[in-house]
Amino acid sequence: MRPANAAVQFRLRITQGDDIAIGPGKIDLLEAIARTGSITAGAKVLGMSYRRAWLLVDTMNRCFSMPVVEAEAEGSRGGGTQLTPLGKRVIRLYRSIEAKAAKAGAADLATLTGLLVP
């Protein structure tokens, strides 16, 4: 049985050359952008600067075959940011990999965390 204060985190990162194309923080940012409709608001939700968020988005857009985030045309909301279909697919695939890894490793993780001090 896992001690009450033990937590398991998978930290999948995929690199493209020297860049981290996708990882847990970038997935969190993509999800925040999807919820808020902007890089600024998404960054604020995550407690990061706009500049940092913009740099992360720029890296992702350069690493993938097509952009994962794009600016919306100005309209009733005055513009904003949205995920592309590829951006939405990246989130789905990443979360699926996390879930499959957790399920596949559940028994070993339970044994390992059971070795921790209660």
Side-chain angles (χ1 to χ4, degrees), residues 57-83:
V57 166
D58 183 58
T59 299
M60 288 184 282
N61 280 344
R62 285 186 291 104
C63 286
F64 283 93
S65 59
M66 295 183 300
V68 295
V69 174
E70 65 187 4
E72 287 183 307
E74 291 192 31
S76 62
R77 290 182 13 183
T81 307
Q82 65 180 3
L83 298 187

PDB file of all heavy atoms in Angstrom, residues 57-83:
ATOM      1  N   VAL A  57       5.416  28.367 -26.681  1.00  0.00           N
ATOM      2  CA  VAL A  57       4.566  28.174 -27.859  1.00  0.00           C
ATOM      3  C   VAL A  57       5.401  28.236 -29.131  1.00  0.00           C
ATOM      4  O   VAL A  57       5.251  27.408 -30.033  1.00  0.00           O
ATOM      5  CB  VAL A  57       3.422  29.208 -27.892  1.00  0.00           C
ATOM      6  CG1 VAL A  57       2.736  29.239 -29.259  1.00  0.00           C
ATOM      7  CG2 VAL A  57       2.413  28.922 -26.790  1.00  0.00           C
ATOM      8  N   ASP A  58       6.304  29.204 -29.206  1.00  0.00           N
ATOM      9  CA  ASP A  58       7.164  29.337 -30.380  1.00  0.00           C
ATOM     10  C   ASP A  58       8.001  28.079 -30.595  1.00  0.00           C
ATOM     11  O   ASP A  58       8.117  27.583 -31.723  1.00  0.00           O
ATOM     12  CB  ASP A  58       8.065  30.566 -30.228  1.00  0.00           C
ATOM     13  CG  ASP A  58       8.923  30.798 -31.445  1.00  0.00           C
ATOM     14  OD1 ASP A  58       8.362  30.965 -32.554  1.00  0.00           O
ATOM     15  OD2 ASP A  58      10.166  30.792 -31.303  1.00  0.00           O
ATOM     16  N   THR A  59       8.548  27.534 -29.518  1.00  0.00           N
ATOM     17  CA  THR A  59       9.328  26.295 -29.622  1.00  0.00           C
ATOM     18  C   THR A  59       8.470  25.149 -30.140  1.00  0.00           C
ATOM     19  O   THR A  59       8.881  24.415 -31.051  1.00  0.00           O
ATOM     20  CB  THR A  59       9.952  25.919 -28.263  1.00  0.00           C
ATOM     21  OG1 THR A  59      10.833  26.962 -27.855  1.00  0.00           O
ATOM     22  CG2 THR A  59      10.712  24.609 -28.336  1.00  0.00           C
ATOM     23  N   MET A  60       7.269  24.997 -29.564  1.00  0.00           N
ATOM     24  CA  MET A  60       6.391  23.926 -30.035  1.00  0.00           C
ATOM     25  C   MET A  60       6.047  24.102 -31.511  1.00  0.00           C
ATOM     26  O   MET A  60       6.091  23.138 -32.280  1.00  0.00           O
ATOM     27  CB  MET A  60       5.108  23.873 -29.190  1.00  0.00           C
ATOM     28  CG  MET A  60       5.314  23.338 -27.806  1.00  0.00           C
ATOM     29  SD  MET A  60       3.758  23.174 -26.878  1.00  0.00           S
ATOM     30  CE  MET A  60       3.448  24.878 -26.391  1.00  0.00           C
ATOM     31  N   ASN A  61       5.711  25.320 -31.897  1.00  0.00           N
ATOM     32  CA  ASN A  61       5.335  25.569 -33.286  1.00  0.00           C
ATOM     33  C   ASN A  61       6.487  25.275 -34.243  1.00  0.00           C
ATOM     34  O   ASN A  61       6.261  24.845 -35.375  1.00  0.00           O
ATOM     35  CB  ASN A  61       4.839  26.997 -33.475  1.00  0.00           C
ATOM     36  CG  ASN A  61       3.409  27.180 -33.046  1.00  0.00           C
ATOM     37  OD1 ASN A  61       2.668  26.218 -32.866  1.00  0.00           O
ATOM     38  ND2 ASN A  61       3.001  28.422 -32.858  1.00  0.00           N
ATOM     39  N   ARG A  62       7.723  25.490 -33.807  1.00  0.00           N
ATOM     40  CA  ARG A  62       8.877  25.191 -34.654  1.00  0.00           C
ATOM     41  C   ARG A  62       9.193  23.698 -34.702  1.00  0.00           C
ATOM     42  O   ARG A  62       9.693  23.203 -35.699  1.00  0.00           O
ATOM     43  CB  ARG A  62      10.118  25.952 -34.165  1.00  0.00           C
ATOM     44  CG  ARG A  62      10.111  27.426 -34.496  1.00  0.00           C
ATOM     45  CD  ARG A  62      11.411  28.143 -34.131  1.00  0.00           C
ATOM     46  NE  ARG A  62      11.600  28.241 -32.680  1.00  0.00           N
ATOM     47  CZ  ARG A  62      12.430  27.499 -31.948  1.00  0.00           C
ATOM     48  NH1 ARG A  62      13.185  26.593 -32.532  1.00  0.00           N
ATOM     49  NH2 ARG A  62      12.524  27.653 -30.646  1.00  0.00           N
ATOM     50  N   CYS A  63       8.914  22.987 -33.614  1.00  0.00           N
ATOM     51  CA  CYS A  63       9.273  21.567 -33.527  1.00  0.00           C
ATOM     52  C   CYS A  63       8.307  20.645 -34.254  1.00  0.00           C
ATOM     53  O   CYS A  63       8.722  19.581 -34.729  1.00  0.00           O
ATOM     54  CB  CYS A  63       9.371  21.140 -32.055  1.00  0.00           C
ATOM     55  SG  CYS A  63      10.849  21.758 -31.224  1.00  0.00           S
ATOM     56  N   PHE A  64       7.055  21.017 -34.319  1.00  0.00           N
ATOM     57  CA  PHE A  64       6.068  20.143 -34.955  1.00  0.00           C
ATOM     58  C   PHE A  64       5.942  20.456 -36.440  1.00  0.00           C
ATOM     59  O   PHE A  64       6.303  21.544 -36.891  1.00  0.00           O
ATOM     60  CB  PHE A  64       4.712  20.256 -34.250  1.00  0.00           C
ATOM     61  CG  PHE A  64       4.680  19.497 -32.957  1.00  0.00           C
ATOM     62  CD1 PHE A  64       4.986  20.126 -31.761  1.00  0.00           C
ATOM     63  CD2 PHE A  64       4.378  18.141 -32.930  1.00  0.00           C
ATOM     64  CE1 PHE A  64       4.985  19.423 -30.563  1.00  0.00           C
ATOM     65  CE2 PHE A  64       4.378  17.424 -31.746  1.00  0.00           C
ATOM     66  CZ  PHE A  64       4.676  18.074 -30.548  1.00  0.00           C
ATOM     67  N   SER A  65       5.396  19.510 -37.185  1.00  0.00           N
ATOM     68  CA  SER A  65       5.283  19.642 -38.635  1.00  0.00           C
ATOM     69  C   SER A  65       4.377  20.797 -39.054  1.00  0.00           C
ATOM     70  O   SER A  65       4.515  21.317 -40.157  1.00  0.00           O
ATOM     71  CB  SER A  65       4.760  18.337 -39.242  1.00  0.00           C
ATOM     72  OG  SER A  65       3.490  18.013 -38.692  1.00  0.00           O
ATOM     73  N   MET A  66       3.460  21.158 -38.175  1.00  0.00           N
ATOM     74  CA  MET A  66       2.569  22.303 -38.384  1.00  0.00           C
ATOM     75  C   MET A  66       2.404  22.977 -37.033  1.00  0.00           C
ATOM     76  O   MET A  66       2.644  22.349 -35.998  1.00  0.00           O
ATOM     77  CB  MET A  66       1.201  21.848 -38.910  1.00  0.00           C
ATOM     78  CG  MET A  66       1.254  21.217 -40.282  1.00  0.00           C
ATOM     79  SD  MET A  66      -0.392  20.757 -40.906  1.00  0.00           S
ATOM     80  CE  MET A  66      -0.964  19.615 -39.680  1.00  0.00           C
ATOM     81  N   PRO A  67       1.960  24.232 -37.000  1.00  0.00           N
ATOM     82  CA  PRO A  67       1.772  24.909 -35.715  1.00  0.00           C
ATOM     83  C   PRO A  67       0.752  24.184 -34.831  1.00  0.00           C
ATOM     84  O   PRO A  67      -0.208  23.595 -35.322  1.00  0.00           O
ATOM     85  CB  PRO A  67       1.252  26.295 -36.102  1.00  0.00           C
ATOM     86  CG  PRO A  67       1.704  26.495 -37.512  1.00  0.00           C
ATOM     87  CD  PRO A  67       1.697  25.122 -38.131  1.00  0.00           C
ATOM     88  N   VAL A  68       0.975  24.252 -33.520  1.00  0.00           N
ATOM     89  CA  VAL A  68       0.024  23.700 -32.552  1.00  0.00           C
ATOM     90  C   VAL A  68      -0.860  24.804 -31.978  1.00  0.00           C
ATOM     91  O   VAL A  68      -1.913  24.530 -31.420  1.00  0.00           O
ATOM     92  CB  VAL A  68       0.737  22.923 -31.420  1.00  0.00           C
ATOM     93  CG1 VAL A  68       1.434  21.687 -31.978  1.00  0.00           C
ATOM     94  CG2 VAL A  68       1.713  23.799 -30.659  1.00  0.00           C
ATOM     95  N   VAL A  69      -0.424  26.048 -32.123  1.00  0.00           N
ATOM     96  CA  VAL A  69      -1.168  27.214 -31.652  1.00  0.00           C
ATOM     97  C   VAL A  69      -1.118  28.254 -32.760  1.00  0.00           C
ATOM     98  O   VAL A  69      -0.091  28.427 -33.418  1.00  0.00           O
ATOM     99  CB  VAL A  69      -0.525  27.804 -30.364  1.00  0.00           C
ATOM    100  CG1 VAL A  69      -1.195  29.099 -29.946  1.00  0.00           C
ATOM    101  CG2 VAL A  69      -0.567  26.796 -29.230  1.00  0.00           C
ATOM    102  N   GLU A  70      -2.242  28.947 -32.950  1.00  0.00           N
ATOM    103  CA  GLU A  70      -2.275  30.011 -33.958  1.00  0.00           C
ATOM    104  C   GLU A  70      -3.141  31.155 -33.470  1.00  0.00           C
ATOM    105  O   GLU A  70      -4.025  30.974 -32.631  1.00  0.00           O
ATOM    106  CB  GLU A  70      -2.774  29.492 -35.298  1.00  0.00           C
ATOM    107  CG  GLU A  70      -4.218  29.025 -35.292  1.00  0.00           C
ATOM    108  CD  GLU A  70      -4.652  28.363 -36.595  1.00  0.00           C
ATOM    109  OE1 GLU A  70      -3.810  28.186 -37.494  1.00  0.00           O
ATOM    110  OE2 GLU A  70      -5.840  28.035 -36.697  1.00  0.00           O
ATOM    111  N   ALA A  71      -2.871  32.333 -34.010  1.00  0.00           N
ATOM    112  CA  ALA A  71      -3.675  33.508 -33.677  1.00  0.00           C
ATOM    113  C   ALA A  71      -5.016  33.409 -34.384  1.00  0.00           C
ATOM    114  O   ALA A  71      -5.089  32.962 -35.530  1.00  0.00           O
ATOM    115  CB  ALA A  71      -2.956  34.778 -34.103  1.00  0.00           C
ATOM    116  N   GLU A  72      -6.070  33.790 -33.664  1.00  0.00           N
ATOM    117  CA  GLU A  72      -7.400  33.849 -34.271  1.00  0.00           C
ATOM    118  C   GLU A  72      -7.526  35.155 -35.031  1.00  0.00           C
ATOM    119  O   GLU A  72      -6.965  36.175 -34.633  1.00  0.00           O
ATOM    120  CB  GLU A  72      -8.495  33.824 -33.191  1.00  0.00           C
ATOM    121  CG  GLU A  72      -8.692  32.495 -32.541  1.00  0.00           C
ATOM    122  CD  GLU A  72      -9.840  32.552 -31.541  1.00  0.00           C
ATOM    123  OE1 GLU A  72      -9.835  33.423 -30.665  1.00  0.00           O
ATOM    124  OE2 GLU A  72     -10.723  31.708 -31.659  1.00  0.00           O
ATOM    125  N   ALA A  73      -8.293  35.122 -36.089  1.00  0.00           N
ATOM    126  CA  ALA A  73      -8.596  36.355 -36.806  1.00  0.00           C
ATOM    127  C   ALA A  73      -9.426  37.245 -35.891  1.00  0.00           C
ATOM    128  O   ALA A  73     -10.221  36.761 -35.095  1.00  0.00           O
ATOM    129  CB  ALA A  73      -9.364  36.035 -38.081  1.00  0.00           C
ATOM    130  N   GLU A  74      -9.211  38.537 -36.007  1.00  0.00           N
ATOM    131  CA  GLU A  74      -9.980  39.455 -35.164  1.00  0.00           C
ATOM    132  C   GLU A  74     -11.459  39.315 -35.453  1.00  0.00           C
ATOM    133  O   GLU A  74     -11.872  39.134 -36.577  1.00  0.00           O
ATOM    134  CB  GLU A  74      -9.514  40.896 -35.395  1.00  0.00           C
ATOM    135  CG  GLU A  74      -8.123  41.118 -34.862  1.00  0.00           C
ATOM    136  CD  GLU A  74      -7.757  42.574 -34.806  1.00  0.00           C
ATOM    137  OE1 GLU A  74      -8.648  43.419 -34.604  1.00  0.00           O
ATOM    138  OE2 GLU A  74      -6.570  42.864 -34.948  1.00  0.00           O
ATOM    139  N   GLY A  75     -12.218  39.349 -34.406  1.00  0.00           N
ATOM    140  CA  GLY A  75     -13.664  39.216 -34.527  1.00  0.00           C
ATOM    141  C   GLY A  75     -14.324  39.868 -33.337  1.00  0.00           C
ATOM    142  O   GLY A  75     -13.827  40.839 -32.802  1.00  0.00           O
ATOM    143  N   SER A  76     -15.413  39.299 -32.898  1.00  0.00           N
ATOM    144  CA  SER A  76     -16.155  39.888 -31.785  1.00  0.00           C
ATOM    145  C   SER A  76     -15.329  39.912 -30.506  1.00  0.00           C
ATOM    146  O   SER A  76     -15.503  40.781 -29.670  1.00  0.00           O
ATOM    147  CB  SER A  76     -17.454  39.110 -31.556  1.00  0.00           C
ATOM    148  OG  SER A  76     -17.169  37.770 -31.215  1.00  0.00           O
ATOM    149  N   ARG A  77     -14.389  38.952 -30.355  1.00  0.00           N
ATOM    150  CA  ARG A  77     -13.543  38.921 -29.159  1.00  0.00           C
ATOM    151  C   ARG A  77     -12.291  39.759 -29.341  1.00  0.00           C
ATOM    152  O   ARG A  77     -11.490  39.886 -28.427  1.00  0.00           O
ATOM    153  CB  ARG A  77     -13.132  37.483 -28.837  1.00  0.00           C
ATOM    154  CG  ARG A  77     -14.263  36.646 -28.347  1.00  0.00           C
ATOM    155  CD  ARG A  77     -13.876  35.253 -27.992  1.00  0.00           C
ATOM    156  NE  ARG A  77     -12.433  35.031 -27.905  1.00  0.00           N
ATOM    157  CZ  ARG A  77     -11.875  33.887 -27.661  1.00  0.00           C
ATOM    158  NH1 ARG A  77     -12.613  32.828 -27.477  1.00  0.00           N
ATOM    159  NH2 ARG A  77     -10.567  33.750 -27.608  1.00  0.00           N
ATOM    160  N   GLY A  78     -12.073  40.314 -30.538  1.00  0.00           N
ATOM    161  CA  GLY A  78     -10.890  41.117 -30.768  1.00  0.00           C
ATOM    162  C   GLY A  78      -9.635  40.288 -30.994  1.00  0.00           C
ATOM    163  O   GLY A  78      -8.534  40.744 -30.764  1.00  0.00           O
ATOM    164  N   GLY A  79      -9.797  39.077 -31.446  1.00  0.00           N
ATOM    165  CA  GLY A  79      -8.646  38.211 -31.685  1.00  0.00           C
ATOM    166  C   GLY A  79      -8.355  37.357 -30.474  1.00  0.00           C
ATOM    167  O   GLY A  79      -9.070  37.366 -29.480  1.00  0.00           O
ATOM    168  N   GLY A  80      -7.310  36.615 -30.530  1.00  0.00           N
ATOM    169  CA  GLY A  80      -6.942  35.723 -29.448  1.00  0.00           C
ATOM    170  C   GLY A  80      -6.073  34.626 -29.996  1.00  0.00           C
ATOM    171  O   GLY A  80      -5.435  34.786 -31.035  1.00  0.00           O
ATOM    172  N   THR A  81      -6.052  33.525 -29.307  1.00  0.00           N
ATOM    173  CA  THR A  81      -5.213  32.400 -29.698  1.00  0.00           C
ATOM    174  C   THR A  81      -6.036  31.127 -29.580  1.00  0.00           C
ATOM    175  O   THR A  81      -6.847  31.000 -28.672  1.00  0.00           O
ATOM    176  CB  THR A  81      -3.988  32.307 -28.767  1.00  0.00           C
ATOM    177  OG1 THR A  81      -3.339  33.576 -28.739  1.00  0.00           O
ATOM    178  CG2 THR A  81      -3.005  31.273 -29.235  1.00  0.00           C
ATOM    179  N   GLN A  82      -5.801  30.198 -30.481  1.00  0.00           N
ATOM    180  CA  GLN A  82      -6.502  28.925 -30.403  1.00  0.00           C
ATOM    181  C   GLN A  82      -5.540  27.797 -30.751  1.00  0.00           C
ATOM    182  O   GLN A  82      -4.533  28.010 -31.429  1.00  0.00           O
ATOM    183  CB  GLN A  82      -7.697  28.895 -31.337  1.00  0.00           C
ATOM    184  CG  GLN A  82      -7.347  28.963 -32.803  1.00  0.00           C
ATOM    185  CD  GLN A  82      -8.572  28.935 -33.686  1.00  0.00           C
ATOM    186  OE1 GLN A  82      -9.695  28.919 -33.210  1.00  0.00           O
ATOM    187  NE2 GLN A  82      -8.366  28.921 -34.991  1.00  0.00           N
ATOM    188  N   LEU A  83      -5.887  26.619 -30.282  1.00  0.00           N
ATOM    189  CA  LEU A  83      -5.114  25.449 -30.666  1.00  0.00           C
ATOM    190  C   LEU A  83      -5.538  25.035 -32.065  1.00  0.00           C
ATOM    191  O   LEU A  83      -6.700  25.129 -32.429  1.00  0.00           O
ATOM    192  CB  LEU A  83      -5.381  24.282 -29.714  1.00  0.00           C
ATOM    193  CG  LEU A  83      -5.017  24.467 -28.252  1.00  0.00           C
ATOM    194  CD1 LEU A  83      -5.191  23.146 -27.509  1.00  0.00           C
ATOM    195  CD2 LEU A  83      -3.619  24.997 -28.077  1.00  0.00           C
TER     196      LEU A  83
END
